[in-house]
Amino acid sequence: MSENTPVIAMPDGVPPDHRAGFVCVVGRPNAGKSTLTNALVGHKVAITSGRPQTTRHAIRGIVHREDLQLILVDTPGLHRPRTLLGERLNELVTGTLAEVDAIAFCLPADQKVGPGDRFIAAKLAETRTPIVAVVTKADLVSKGRLAEHLLAVSELGQWADVIPVAAMTGYQVTELIDVLGAHMPVSPPLYPGGELTDEPEQVMVAELVREAALEGVRDELPHSLAVVVEEIVEREHRSKDGRPFLDVRVNLFVERESQKGIVIGTKGARLRDVGTRARSGIEALLGAAVYLDLHVKVAKDWQRDPKKLQRLGF
């Protein structure tokens, strides 16, 4: 340590070399970003789906260790935008890149490096932030195919590190935390211990409903579905098991009347199923019994309407 190196005072019980900082998790849609974020945190903080463009907000998940704290920003997938919504999601990502200490660029092992990956690599080349290329879904391919993919990824850009991981099995998740941690500045923890995300509860509830609604629907629906929590109200009386009882009212917005039928299903069967699946996650999140009241509404062409985008939180 030189004479000019500032000495950072650490709180009691925090190691003098403790590191803390922000990591932006990027990649094209459906590259495994949300699943990886949840695996790193060890808790569900980001919604996952087999559909592209499931993430609409930069959700922060927080990794706590005695020597390290990583704040993970799970962004929407960078892509060539076709709508005003797409442009705003891309702006959200590029704005985040300028404010973090490292970038984790996810490239799934079960898909060849393609135009979308090259598009993102070109965008990342414009930043001075250290970039770790993370080859996700390593458990889905053979060792030979993984080696080929690692080579292709290495040739795609100038990376600080390249590491394969498998979020579903835990393969090299701890090693990835070590790699990302090496790029963080020496700093005391930035968030209290035990805090897993700084997203407002209403945003998390909306994301859980969106995740449930995206399962098993037609391909065009994910891009057309927005969810807004209207209110969360606690009842005077507690549930039978002694927990608080909350009324949660949620609106699901689609762009066309035909899509409304897809979400509701025959005689409301599909919407009831969405409510059942979302409720368990919401109750775990809020630590309360929940009556979930879902309504599906049409906001025509909301992805292209600036006023409607603003009203829906984008």
Side-chain angles (χ1 to χ4, degrees), residues 3 5 22 33 41 46 70 81 86 93 125-126 141 153 175 186 189 197 203 212 221 234 236 242 264 266 274 305 309:
E3 295 180 0
T5 302
F22 291 82
K33 302 181 297 298
V41 175
L70 296 178
V93 180
E126 300 170 6
V141 298
V153 168
E175 288 79 358
V186 173
T197 181
V203 172
L221 188 56
E234 184 171 351
E236 290 185 12
I264 295 174
T266 305
V274 169
D305 187 321
L309 278 172

Side-chain angles (χ1 to χ4, degrees), residues 20-28 32-34 36-37 40 55 57-61 63 69-78 89-107 120 123-124 127 129-134 136 159 176 180-181 183-184:
F22 291 82
V23 179
C24 184
V25 184
V26 302
R28 57 185 162 88
K33 302 181 297 298
S34 297
L36 179 63
T37 296
L40 291 168
T55 303
H57 301 272
I59 293 177
R60 287 189 173 91
V63 180
Q69 187 179 80
L70 296 178
I71 299 95
L72 307 172
V73 185
D74 178 38
T75 63
L78 266 171
L89 291 177
N90 271 2
E91 289 170 4
L92 177 66
V93 180
T94 53
T96 303
L97 294 178
E99 301 172 351
V100 297
D101 301 292
I103 297 167
F105 177 19
C106 295
L107 303 103
I120 297 169
K123 289 283 186 183
L124 296 181
T127 180
T129 306
I131 303 164
V132 176
V134 183
T136 58
W159 316 126
L176 176 58
L180 293 171
H183 297 288
M184 299 299 105

